[in-house]
Amino acid sequence: MPSIAPTKTITIALVGNPNTGKSTLFTALAGVRQHVGNYPGVTVEKKIGRMTHEGTSFTLVDLPGTYSLAPRSPDEMVAVDLLLGRQAESARPDAVLCVVDAGNIERNLYLVSQALELGLPTVVALNMIDVARERGTTIDVPLLSRRLGVPVVELQANRAIGIDRLKGTLLAASAAAPPTVESPFSAEFRDEVRKLESFRGPHSQLDALPRYLLERLLLDTSGYLSDTIAREDSAGLKQALVEARERLAKVGQPVPAVEAMARYGWVGKLLEGVVKRDPVRRTTLSDRIDRVLTDRVFGTAFFALMMVVVFQAVFTWAGPLMGLIESCVGLVADFVKQRMAEGALRSLLVDGIIGGVGGVIIFLPQILILFLFIGILEDCGYMARAAYLMDKLMVRVGLSGKSFIPLLSSFACAIPGVMATRVIENRRDRLTTMLIAPLMSCSARIPVYTLLIAAFIPARSWLGGWLGQQGLVMFAMYLVGIVAAVAVAWLLKRTMLRGPTPPFVMELPSYKMPAPLTVVYRMLDRGWAFLSNAGTIILAVSIVVWAALYYPHDAATIEAPFQAQKQAIESRIDSQPQGSEERKAAEEELAALENHIHGAYQRQSYLGRAGHTIEPLVRPLGWDWRIGCAAIASFPAREVVVATLGIIYDLGGDIDVDDQEQSGRLQTALAEATWDGTDRKVFNLATALSIMVFFALCAQCAATLAIIKRETNSWRWPIFTFTYMTGLAYIAALITYQVTIRLIA
């Protein structure tokens, strides 16, 4: 019986400039069959998709958008290594798909000229051809294809026009020979590259180096390549490179300008007779919209309005869904409670696992809504305008306008904010933005602010009630995070992540209707990434915290003193008729007693003991062991602090700060709390401000740290974030307490 040869899966690498519609095309080709990861050891996103065409399977590799295949950073090095087959754990692609914006064809062909030299079969996707025609640009596609020596396919990726023809072209091209390309560089330049080949040898790192990278060594004046791929040859090689560049400069070909001169010269000759434009540039709809949306006054006002709409939607639209999730989690918890006997296993399931899962998925609606808006704004072309408008503000701390949206997103939740840093190509800028994003006051801090401000900040107001003291303190807490973020970004950009502020170069793409499939996929992808990564870690941490709060759970010691009182109350309940006032009063008394017993268990738990242990450390902040205990419990997720305070002060863990009665009871309990063995009050204005400042700056969110680990592919950065934020929070809280207590004394 004849055997059937296995069908080979064809690997296609997608390259292109930013804003060419590459991601939209990737989604149009792969649909939902895609996943995101990281290349080993670096922060570069690895986006893989699958598709089939005429029975052949394809693997699509979407490389980060770039204007050039000139490796000057780890991110760009990974992309070039993959295309040259030098990337560990990734096979060399069978073909390259270059995505080109038809409206900016001259600039985009610069990257194509580099891709053609990689020795791989190549296809050019001429995307957004409709926009180019609208601008009065006509492209002779057959002539362009003949001159390039590779297939060229016209596309409108956002409307899936030309996708089937592109698939057929990719299938045919993958079996074809690589194009024969004539170098755009001069004879003098090629001669200098030949001289560098003398460094090749059995013991040289240059021995197996492709000619493309040998040329790049000569062109890279930053020294990144020679330090990365030719470190062992650096002694004589660096001197040879300097001398070669000096010789080229003497003949009018200075490095690195010689590359731009050569490649744009090649592009100019290539497009002669290929591209025709109307003598008078047409004013397009995008031009008319941009006159308003990029205006310094009207554009900024529109941007502010847009952000208000986004955040209102995140808070108001998500509210009912979050309430629904919370109710469902409560129903599941009640279901388990009613069917299991009281004990460690029930507590683990209800408080540890169900409570932990609920604490994660309750934020899912906010994340989905935020990324729905970001997806729409990105795909329609507005996000590039927003970055342009904010660039002047961000550049003062060494960042670019692209950092603004992730930081703004972090006011809702730092997790989508950290994930949104993927739009930043510069590695240092992306890391800096990621590290300061948790300083923005997220929604989980609001219950802490609300509780303490209502309890300890007098409700004074001015200007006929329009300006209130409590509102100003709430605003000040947000300002604390913003000022700290600016200072930390400034410091990072001048020390650990030092580097020149990158010039903000971004083409403003034409406006277009967002592709629904792309927007929905991005939204769901971010939602799933949140659940699968943050969820697993925060769930594990929640179980650990549950165990620390539950054990040793010595019932004989804790409950024995209350048994007689409990039995007496239960007898009174049984003796009273249903619905009577006496029965209700007895039931409330029993609930209070059970809360007191629950609190006694927490105080005897390992976490409670830890609170006592760290009391000397937190006492300078004005905190007693109970506040320290609540702070420790809130490190996995700061929103649990209110519930923890409720437990410690014998009010139970189900405190709702939006419920005036429950919140009032906790505020009263806090106000009446005294230091152990004295009648001195624990809480006052200085203590309240100290706690709020600590929570405004501390990294009390395991999910955020988990996302930073996922995005950086390293534990180094989440550990750094936790360390610097905790240290900063402690120092700021210490100063706040010590200064305030002296002012009010």
Side-chain angles (χ1 to χ4, degrees), residues 206-488:
L206 301 186
D207 195 38
L209 203 66
R211 182 180 172 83
Y212 180 81
L213 286 181
L214 207 59
E215 286 185 356
R216 302 294 346 157
L217 268 177
L218 184 53
L219 292 166
D220 178 30
T221 54
S222 70
Y224 173 79
L225 264 185
S226 57
D227 290 341
T228 304
I229 62 176
R231 186 174 300 169
E232 295 174 9
D233 302 274
S234 60
L237 180 62
K238 284 188 177 178
Q239 183 59 34
L241 289 171
V242 170
E243 292 171 359
R245 289 166 191 153
E246 288 175 351
R247 286 192 293 271
L248 285 170
K250 287 179 181 175
V251 295
Q253 298 180 39
V255 175
V258 63
E259 182 173 23
M261 294 158 56
R263 294 198 186 280
Y264 280 121
W266 175 84
V267 171
K269 290 179 184 175
L270 182 81
L271 293 182
E272 283 179 1
V274 172
V275 177
K276 294 179 182 175
R277 291 189 172 86
D278 289 348
V280 179
R281 187 179 184 278
R282 297 178 190 175
T283 301
T284 63
L285 179 60
S286 287
D287 296 331
R288 289 193 288 272
I289 295 174
D290 269 343
R291 284 174 190 166
V292 177
L293 296 191
T294 58
D295 181 83
R296 188 174 178 181
V297 177
F298 294 108
T300 305
F302 179 82
F303 174 75
L305 179 63
M306 179 65 68
M307 290 302 103
V308 169
V309 171
V310 170
F311 279 90
Q312 283 295 315
V314 167
F315 281 107
T316 56
W317 294 6
L321 293 172
M322 294 173 76
L324 182 63
I325 292 173
E326 192 174 14
S327 300
C328 291
V329 171
L331 288 174
V332 174
D334 290 341
F335 180 83
V336 174
K337 273 184 183 176
Q338 291 165 6
R339 282 158 181 77
M340 291 184 69
E342 190 171 347
L345 181 58
R346 192 182 83 168
S347 180
L348 170 63
L349 288 174
V350 174
D351 301 325
I353 296 177
I354 298 173
V357 171
V360 173
I361 62 175
I362 196 170
F363 293 107
L364 188 59
Q366 284 189 334
I367 289 170
L368 291 178
I369 291 171
L370 182 64
F371 277 103
L372 172 67
F373 276 98
I374 288 180
I376 292 171
L377 295 175
E378 275 183 344
D379 216 44
C380 76
Y382 179 74
M383 199 63 88
R385 275 79 181 176
Y388 165 76
L389 286 169
M390 290 299 111
D391 184 59
K392 288 184 180 177
L393 187 65
M394 302 303 298
V395 78
R396 295 181 183 179
V397 293
L399 298 174
S400 74
K402 288 189 175 181
S403 298
F404 187 77
I405 297 298
L407 294 179
L408 201 60
S409 305
S410 300
F411 281 109
C413 177
I415 294 167
V418 171
M419 293 164 72
T421 60
R422 292 180 180 185
V423 301
I424 305 170
E425 292 92 0
N426 184 280
R427 177 176 169 273
R428 293 189 185 92
D429 278 16
R430 188 184 175 206
L431 268 175
T432 304
T433 307
M434 207 180 289
L435 299 182
I436 64 172
L439 287 169
M440 303 295 114
S441 276
C442 65
S443 57
R445 288 176 169 106
I446 294 176
V448 185
Y449 297 159
T450 305
L451 175 72
L452 295 175
I453 287 174
F456 300 102
I457 305 299
R460 298 181 187 133
S461 62
W462 303 276
L463 302 177
W466 285 94
L467 191 62
Q469 184 168 266
Q470 293 184 334
L472 286 176
V473 173
M474 177 73 93
F475 174 73
M477 288 303 110
Y478 277 77
L479 204 58
V480 164
I482 294 170
V483 171
V486 168
V488 173

Side-chain angles (χ1 to χ4, degrees), residues 490-670:
W490 183 88
L491 193 62
L492 287 174
K493 290 291 289 182
R494 282 158 182 78
T495 53
M496 293 176 62
L497 300 173
R498 185 185 305 165
T501 301
F504 186 50
V505 179
M506 174 181 277
E507 290 181 11
L508 297 182
S510 299
Y511 291 101
K512 62 183 176 66
M513 287 299 293
L517 182 62
T518 302
V519 172
V520 171
Y521 174 76
R522 286 178 185 168
M523 179 184 73
L524 296 178
D525 177 58
R526 298 297 189 262
W528 174 246
F530 165 71
L531 285 179
S532 61
N533 292 281
T536 50
I537 288 188
I538 199 170
L539 174 60
V541 174
S542 297
I543 292 173
V544 171
V545 171
W546 164 83
L549 270 169
Y550 186 84
Y551 290 105
H553 206 79
D554 185 356
T557 304
I558 299 296
E559 297 205 26
F562 305 103
Q563 281 304 318
Q565 184 182 359
K566 189 174 180 181
Q567 288 173 0
I569 297 172
E570 288 172 345
S571 298
R572 280 165 47 205
I573 292 174
D574 293 339
S575 65
Q576 299 297 328
Q578 290 284 348
S580 67
E581 292 299 324
E582 291 77 8
R583 185 184 180 98
K584 287 181 182 175
E587 287 174 343
E588 288 177 2
E589 190 177 347
L590 179 61
L593 179 62
E594 288 177 342
N595 284 336
H596 185 69
I597 295 172
H598 195 191
Y601 274 120
Q602 307 303 330
R603 287 187 283 274
Q604 287 296 317
S605 68
Y606 293 125
L607 189 60
R609 297 175 190 182
H612 282 288
T613 304
I614 68 163
E615 189 173 10
L617 187 65
V618 299
R619 188 181 283 269
L621 310 182
W623 302 4
D624 71 345
W625 69 270
R626 287 168 290 195
I627 304 174
C629 190
I632 293 173
S634 63
F635 269 100
R638 57 177 63 87
E639 53 269 38
V640 305
V641 69
V642 175
T644 307
L645 285 171
I647 290 170
I648 292 173
Y649 286 96
D650 300 338
L651 300 175
D654 301 325
I655 296 294
D656 183 357
V657 292
D658 295 326
D659 185 310
Q660 289 190 355
E661 183 184 348
Q662 293 182 26
S663 181
R665 286 167 51 210
L666 182 54
Q667 289 166 15
T668 303
L670 297 181

